[in-house]
Every structure is written in C-alpha cells, then in structure tokens.
Amino acid sequence: MRVLITGARGQVGHELMRLAPEGFEAVGMGSAELDIANADRMAAMVEQVRPQLIVNAAAYTAVDKAESEPERAFAVNRDGVANLAAAAERLGIPLLHISTDYVFAGDAGEPYREQDATGPTGVYGASKLAGERALLAGCSRPMILRTSWVFGAHGNNFVKTMLRLGREREELSVVADQRGCPTSAASIARTLWSLARQYREQGSLHWGLYHYSGTPACTWHDFAQEIFRQAHELGLLPRLPVVHAIATAQYPTPARRPAWSVLDCSKLREAHGIAPSDWRDELRAVLMELGK
C-alpha cells in the first residue's frame, strides 16, 4: 500500500518514515518539496504519487511565533489540511491527521475526552482546531489523532532542550503548574501505522476524532527531573542539575499555555485496540538513541 506522508522531515514525520512496516511504500515529502498550503502544487503532487492513504504530519508548530504570524499558521494548519482533505476525497482515500491538546482551554480538572468543549487560548490552537473542522467537513474518511507534549531524538523538543541546559547549568527553573502527557514521536508513528495496517486489512476504520498521548500525566518540572535522572544514569549528563519549580506566571511567553493538557485516550483503545505507552520507557529509548 502506497502512503503519502506530508511533513516527513518533522519529529513525527521522521519516525513515520523510519518505522514504515513491511508491505507499505512510504512516500515522504518535507515542506521544501510539498507546501500543503499551496493548493495547486499539492493537488498535482497527490495526483502524481496516487497514494492509497495520506498521513499528514505537516504543521505550523511554532506556538509563540504563531501569535505574530497568524496568517501563516492558519495557511498551513487550516487551509493546508483542507487542501489535503479535498485531495483525499477526490481519490476516495483516508486522511490520517495529527492535532493537539492546544485545542482545549486547559482549565479542566479531568482528562479531556474527544467530545468535550474546545476553547483554544492562542493562535496555534485556534489554527489546529480550524484544521480539524476542515478535515471533518471535507473528507468522508477522516482520522484525527490529538496528541500532546511531543518529544523525540529528531527535531527540536523539550527533551533535547533540557539535555543541553543540563550540561550547561548546575541549576535551572522549570514550570510546575502545567500538567499534561509527554508523548514520543515514535509512539505516535507506531499508532498511525497500526491504524494504517487495520485499514489495509479491513478496508475501513472507525473514522473520526481520537486522543493519543503518553502515560502517566505529569508537570513539566516532573518531566525535566525524569529526563535528568535517566540521562545521568545513562552517562549523558556528568551531574544532576538542581531543578527549581516555578509558576507559569514567572516564565511569561507570547502564547498562553494550557494549564491542563491531560487527554483521555480510552476511545482509541476501545475502537482500535491501541493503548497509550509509558512515556518514561519511550524517553529511555530516545535518550539511548541520542547517546549513540
């Protein structure tokens, strides 16, 4: 089965290409080769590739920069997804798409379910929510996977930033009043490939909107401490830095982050038999890869 993977140079896209199972021909396109916001160019590329399935890992993900570049964020995250949905519909094929916890306001106290009210607090979240709606409206075989706090060995992310700072500093401060679920790019890629396998075998899926993230929930401060603990254990850090817990208000950013980003992933497990993975195990695999 031929699968077109957009955003193939990003964190998840890289893992999708690396983990492509036997029996699938993964055709990867980075943003330099395929700008999904360019409707004509994208339609031509899809016609040329003639995939049997599209996985969209392309996105504008610069959360703070989006506040000053809303047109670009919406061009990629909304219009680009609408373009892909139209192309998938023309071919009569499914479109698997990655979304985000940022579609929620972050003021809940229980894990967010797919049907819970959305309320993004910034441009990035608003643009991703608009993309979800464009896909659901424009494609009859949509599969949306909302995820959170993505990390991996490839690309820029919190784990790699903490490793760099841990080597440079003896002490650092990390936000401790935002709670969410770290999720490895590799686990997202494995989940998408599992859905692709189910589609190939069954000819259909339970289309719609799903949540997938790592487990258990933690704060950024907790996450940082676990990164340093494992990295020191693996010999990637010469010493354990002291990590001070601070409030979000002490670390202002252009975009407001959700204080609560915990996702309920039970619907995906019930519909497709895919359970969340423990991010601490995923973290060890990423650190081992970074240490090679």
Side-chain angles (χ1 to χ4, degrees), residues 49-275:
V49 175
R50 301 294 294 182
Q52 294 156 286
L53 176 72
I54 299 174
V55 181
N56 179 38
Y60 181 109
T61 57
V63 175
D64 288 323
K65 202 174 176 185
E67 295 299 309
S68 58
E69 286 188 354
E71 296 85 1
R72 184 59 189 161
F74 273 90
V76 176
N77 293 343
R78 178 194 59 200
D79 303 341
V81 176
N83 293 338
L84 281 167
E89 195 65 5
R90 279 195 300 273
L91 291 177
I93 63 172
L95 174 54
L96 277 55
H97 171 68
I98 302 162
S99 192
T100 174
D101 58 296
Y102 277 67
V103 301
F104 293 112
D107 55 2
E110 295 181 354
Y112 281 112
R113 297 168 301 168
E114 289 81 356
Q115 67 268 32
D116 287 340
T118 52
T121 59
V123 170
Y124 168 69
S127 68
K128 291 293 287 183
L129 180 59
E132 289 183 8
R133 290 171 174 166
L135 174 50
L136 291 171
C139 179
S140 55
R141 295 179 178 184
M143 180 65 69
I144 298 170
L145 209 64
R146 286 182 185 146
T147 190
S148 63
W149 295 22
V150 181
F151 69 91
H154 178 82
N156 300 316
N157 55 68
F158 185 75
V159 170
K160 292 170 82 172
T161 299
M162 287 300 105
L163 278 181
R164 176 176 56 80
L165 293 177
R167 293 183 182 114
E168 294 172 356
R169 304 180 191 175
E170 293 185 5
E171 297 183 32
L172 66 157
S173 299
V174 179
V175 168
D177 58 357
Q178 294 174 24
R179 183 168 289 274
C181 300
T183 314
S184 77
S187 72
I188 298 168
R190 286 194 296 269
T191 296
L192 290 165
W193 280 123
S194 177
L195 291 167
R197 267 197 303 267
Q198 289 182 39
Y199 171 67
R200 186 182 63 184
E201 290 162 9
Q202 300 164 10
S204 187
L205 292 169
H206 299 288
W207 309 113
L209 181 61
Y210 294 89
H211 289 169
Y212 177 81
S213 61
T215 190
C218 67
T219 67
W220 289 109
H221 181 265
D222 298 332
F223 192 14
Q225 287 193 305
E226 183 65 12
I227 292 165
F228 294 141
R229 188 191 70 77
Q230 289 197 24
H232 182 255
E233 195 176 273
L234 292 168
L236 299 180
L237 287 178
R239 50 170 166 62
L240 282 171
V242 176
V243 189
H244 300 288
I246 61 168
T248 299
Q250 295 171 263
Y251 187 72
T253 55
R256 190 174 138 212
R257 264 66 176 176
W260 179 268
S261 286
V262 183
L263 301 176
D264 181 332
C265 302
S266 58
K267 181 183 172 185
L268 184 68
R269 180 168 43 215
E270 290 160 9
H272 295 285
I274 300 170

Side-chain angles (χ1 to χ4, degrees), residues 4-17 27-36 55-59 84 98 154:
L4 173 61
I5 296 169
T6 60
R9 309 289 176 263
Q11 283 195 87
V12 178
H14 176 84
E15 296 297 335
L16 281 164
M17 296 302 294
V27 181
M29 301 275 179
S31 57
E33 303 143 285
L34 180 60
D35 178 1
I36 63 170
V55 181
N56 179 38
L84 281 167
I98 302 162
H154 178 82

Side-chain angles (χ1 to χ4, degrees), residues 215 278 284:
T215 190
D278 190 316
R284 180 163 292 270

